[in-house]
Amino acid sequence: VGEPPPLALIDGNNFYVSCERAFDRKLEGVPVLVLSNNDGCAIARSEEVKALGVRMGEPAFKLRPLIEKHGVRVFSSNYVLYGDMSRRVNDVLNQFSPEAEVYSIDETFLGLSGFAHKDLWDHAQDMRATVRRWTGIPTCVGLGPTKTLAKLANAVAKKNPVFGGVCDLTHPAVRGAVLRAFAVADVWGVGAATARKLAGLSVTTAAALRDLDPMLARSLGTVVLERIVRELRGIACLGLEHVPPTRKGLAVTRSFGAPVSGLGGVLEAVATYATRAGEKLRQHGLVAGQLCAFLHTNPHQPGPRYHGARSTRLVPMSDDTRALVAAARRCIEAAWRDGFAYTKAGVILDDLRRREDAPRSLFEAPDPRAAALMRAMDELNAKHGRHTVFPAAMGIQRAWKQRAEHCSPRYTTRLSDLPVLRA
DNA sequence: TCTGGGGTCCTAGGACCC
DNA sequence: TCTGGGGTCCTAGGACCC
C-alpha cells in the first residue's frame, strides 16, 4: 500500500508584515511590527523584530523603549488589506492546483496528486516564485503525505534558510531525521497542555510522538491526539476540505479604546457589534437562533473584576439588525453591574443556519418590508461607506472606539488609497 | 434487605488553531 | 495609562425519553 498523494502547505512569511512591505519598499531590511486590534500587542514581526527578541503576543506598551531605540516601524492591523492580499495569493495558487483548501488568512493546503515525486520540489519553487512576482508576498512550502506532515515540513522550511523555502517530506527516508529534530510542542495540534502531559512520558520530539501507541495517545489527549500520531506515520486522517463547511457561530467582540464605566457607553458598543453581526449574517445568507452578549473588566489588572454574560433565543431566527440590537441590549442590561471599569464587550451568535432552512413560526408571517429595509441599509453602506446609515442605538460620539493610530492605506480596495507612482 | 436498561440531545468548558 | 479577535472540535455530564 503506497502513501497518499502529496499535499503542499503554502504559508506567507510574516504575512501581515509582508503585506505592508509589498506597498512600501522602504520597509525592506528594517524592523517592522504589526499590532493587534486596539494597537494592543504584537501579532506579526519581521525577521529583524524577531531578532530583537520580541515575542508573539507581547503587549505593545512594554515594547515602547525598544521601538524607540531601534526605530521599529509599527503598524496597526489593516485587515481589509491583508484579506485582499490573501485572496490574491489564492488566485495565483489556484492556477497550480484545483484542489485547494484555504486554511487561514495566510495558509493554503493544495492537493498535488498526479505529480511525480521528483518534480514536486521544482513545482513548489515555481509556486513560490510566481506568488512572489504577482503579489509581492514571500512564502515557504511544506510537502508531505498528510496535512500534519505538510505543516511540519513548512515549519522546518521557514525556520532553516538552508532549505531554500521548500521542505519535502513526501519521501519516507528523509522523514526520520527531520522528526527527531522537531520539538513535539511545535507539532500542529499539540498545545501547551498536551505537551506537558507528553513530557511526563518523555515524549519530547515529533519522532517520539509518532512512535507512541495510538491507544495511549487517545487516552492522553482524545481522538485528536490519536489522529496526530497516525498522521505523523503517513496515514491521512484529515482530508482536504475544498468547500468550506457552513459556519456554526459568529462573533463580534472588541476591547474599548479606554475603559467605560457607564451603562450607556456599553449599550452603544454592543449595539454597534450587533449591527456588524447582522451584516455578516446577511452576507452569508444566514440567520441566527441564539445571541449572547458579554462585558468584562480588564483581566490583566489587579483590582475589582467582573465578567457578565447573558444569552437569549431569537424567535423567530433572524438576520434583522433591529432584532439583534434589541436582544443584545437586553442581555447587557441583565448582566450589568454598577461600579466597574469595563474594557471589553461582545456579541456572539450561535445556532446559525441558511435562511431558507430556518423553521417558520406558526402564527407570525414574516414582514417582507423587514428584508427590504435590511437590503436597503446594506446597499447604502456598501455604496457610500460603512455607517452611512446605522441604528441610533449605536450612538454618535462612540467614545469607546478602538485605537488604530498607525494604520496603512487600504491600497488595493479603495480608490482614494491607491498607491501613486511619481516620475 | 431490596429500586432497570438503554437511548438521545444539549450545553459548558477545555484545548487548540491562526 | 497600556495586554486582540474569531473560530473549530471533543468530551463529560445533566436532562429527558420510553
Side-chain angles (χ1 to χ4, degrees):
Chain A
V1 180
E3 295 217 320
L7 288 171
L9 178 70
I10 300 93
D11 181 321
N13 301 347
N14 316 329
F15 183 66
Y16 298 167
V17 167
S18 296
C19 290
E20 301 292 349
R21 281 179 169 166
F23 294 91
D24 187 351
R25 307 280 313 262
K26 292 198 290 292
L27 298 175
E28 294 290 343
V30 302
V32 180
L33 176 65
V34 178
L35 300 177
S36 66
N37 273 320
N38 218 24
D39 294 343
C41 57
I43 55 166
R45 305 156 295 158
S46 71
E47 295 305 323
E48 298 82 359
V49 170
K50 288 177 189 172
L52 291 173
V54 175
R55 287 159 318 173
M56 193 71 170
E58 207 161 344
F61 71 89
K62 287 188 184 168
L63 296 171
R64 206 146 299 160
L66 185 133
I67 288 169
E68 290 280 309
K69 183 171 173 202
H70 295 92
V72 176
R73 298 290 311 272
V74 177
F75 290 87
S76 303
S77 32
N78 183 345
Y79 289 107
V80 176
L81 175 65
Y82 310 151
D84 189 60
M85 292 301 283
S86 170
R87 183 188 60 75
R88 288 161 188 252
V89 168
N90 282 304
D91 282 350
V92 176
L93 293 177
N94 277 329
Q95 309 189 2
F96 285 86
S97 169
E99 304 171 56
E101 175 187 336
V102 178
Y103 175 67
S104 76
I105 195 166
D106 69 333
E107 290 172 78
T108 297
F109 287 104
L110 286 185
L112 296 177
S113 42
F115 284 92
H117 176 266
K118 70 179 180 42
D119 296 333
L120 275 177
W121 204 81
D122 288 344
H123 192 61
Q125 289 294 5
D126 193 14
M127 285 196 283
R128 293 183 67 227
T130 310
V131 169
R132 182 79 200 241
R133 192 160 60 245
W134 291 2
T135 69
I137 301 294
T139 57
C140 284
V141 178
L143 298 164
T146 65
K147 281 181 160 179
T148 305
L149 284 169
K151 281 283 282 186
L152 195 152
N154 183 284
V156 170
K158 261 208 258 184
K159 200 178 287 181
N160 310 302
V162 286
F163 280 88
V166 177
C167 173
D168 181 1
L169 293 182
T170 57
H171 207 290
V174 287
R175 234 177 267 159
V178 171
L179 264 59
R180 273 192 294 279
F182 197 91
V184 76
D186 295 336
V187 172
W188 187 41
V190 176
T194 306
R196 259 195 310 279
K197 287 187 208 165
L198 289 171
L201 297 174
S202 301
V203 174
T204 57
T205 67
L209 180 57
R210 173 200 61 199
D211 297 336
L212 198 64
D213 171 32
M215 285 308 135
L216 179 56
R218 189 176 193 132
S219 68
L220 213 69
T222 80
V223 67
V224 175
L225 191 62
E226 181 188 345
R227 285 191 197 124
I228 293 172
V229 169
R230 297 191 190 280
E231 286 244 322
L232 288 173
R233 296 177 181 190
I235 300 161
C237 303
L238 309 168
L240 260 196
E241 299 190 11
H242 305 232
V243 187
T246 37
R247 60 201 305 176
K248 302 188 162 66
L250 174 166
V252 180
T253 71
R254 296 281 183 278
S255 299
F256 303 137
V260 177
S261 43
L263 176 58
V266 179
L267 286 176
E268 279 183 16
V270 293
T272 305
Y273 307 155
T275 299
R276 177 71 192 123
E279 290 168 358
K280 287 193 191 180
L281 278 180
R282 296 191 293 275
Q283 250 169 39
H284 292 93
L286 299 170
V287 290
Q290 174 150 304
L291 179 147
C292 168
F294 70 85
L295 76 173
H296 65 72
T297 53
N298 189 340
H300 306 288
Q301 294 282 312
R305 286 181 196 185
Y306 175 62
H307 184 295
R310 291 290 187 282
S311 338
T312 181
R313 298 290 311 170
L314 296 168
V315 183
M317 298 179 83
S318 183
D319 63 356
D320 190 306
T321 294
R322 295 167 300 171
L324 302 177
V325 167
R329 285 170 53 97
R330 275 199 313 276
C331 287
I332 289 299
E333 280 166 352
W336 179 260
R337 286 208 204 153
D338 271 321
F340 291 96
Y342 293 101
T343 56
K344 179 172 176 171
V347 170
I348 301 166
L349 301 179
D350 269 311
D351 192 11
L352 307 189
R353 61 190 71 182
R354 298 206 316 246
R355 194 185 293 119
E356 57 271 26
D357 299 341
R360 295 281 179 78
S361 113
L362 189 53
F363 299 108
E364 295 163 72
D367 181 350
R369 293 175 305 173
L373 175 61
M374 290 304 117
R375 198 161 47 242
M377 281 183 46
D378 291 338
E379 283 169 7
L380 281 170
N381 287 330
K383 188 167 178 189
H384 299 288
R386 181 169 285 180
H387 298 170
T388 300
V389 286
F390 58 87
M394 281 173 46
I396 306 292
Q397 303 287 338
R398 301 203 265 272
W400 38 268
K401 261 196 317 214
Q402 289 207 311
R403 288 184 293 267
E405 290 169 6
H406 315 283
C407 208
S408 51
R410 285 161 289 185
Y411 294 109
T412 61
T413 54
R414 181 155 289 237
L415 272 180
S416 56
D417 289 4
L418 272 185
V420 176
L421 291 179
R422 292 202 175 76

